Amino acid sequence: MDKKAALAKAEHYCAYQERSQYEIRNKLYEWGLKTAEVEELISELIVTNFLNEERFAKVYVSGKFNIKKWGKIKIKQSLKIKQVPDKMITKALNTIDSGDYLQTLLELAEKKAKLITETDAYKKKYKLITYLMGKGFENNLISEVLKDNNLP
């Protein structure tokens, strides 16, 4: 694939959905481009604003929190895998409203608590905490929400 065709394809790829530099870089290598060409195309995509890491991080955080109901820990790990810089991850995570965050945690806890059939209170609480930690919520917040709302 020549550079011009690759640029057009990469622009379309970025326009369809926000992408990280890591995702674009991998895709360009997948298309058979050489390192110098890949870096040149990434620079071009950044200049034309098809590729914006900060915008990607904010959209990613918003989607994972609002749609998937992920906690900050899971979102942060996922962004690290996509090689987004720590500063941008922190900035994007700060866009989550703390009230919404706690409300989401409470809703997930209440919903899951109803589904757990365990009769032993200790085991039920353990299963609930494990579930919420798996969703990426912080242990101290989980404990606080469960205690404040008299959940298992």
Side-chain angles (χ1 to χ4, degrees), residues 47-105:
V47 168
T48 56
N49 209 23
F50 275 98
L51 190 58
N52 182 324
E53 199 94 309
E54 189 173 336
R55 187 177 63 212
F56 165 77
K58 285 180 180 173
V59 169
Y60 190 87
V61 165
S62 173
K64 295 302 178 191
F65 174 66
N66 293 320
I67 298 165
K68 297 264 190 183
K69 308 290 185 213
W70 284 7
K72 290 181 180 181
I73 295 171
K74 190 168 184 173
I75 295 170
K76 185 176 183 176
Q77 288 173 334
S78 189
L79 284 170
K80 279 186 174 286
I81 290 169
K82 295 181 182 295
Q83 297 180 358
V84 175
D86 286 340
K87 208 178 236 182
M88 286 186 194
I89 293 173
T90 304
K91 196 173 182 182
L93 286 173
N94 287 336
T95 63
I96 298 174
D97 179 68
S98 58
D100 291 345
Y101 192 70
L102 289 172
Q103 184 60 38
T104 299
L105 175 55

Side-chain angles (χ1 to χ4, degrees), residues 106-116 128 131 151:
L106 174 60
E107 287 169 6
L108 285 171
E110 289 174 339
K111 189 175 177 183
K112 186 65 176 179
K114 289 177 188 170
L115 298 174
I116 299 173
L128 184 57
Y131 168 77
L151 288 163

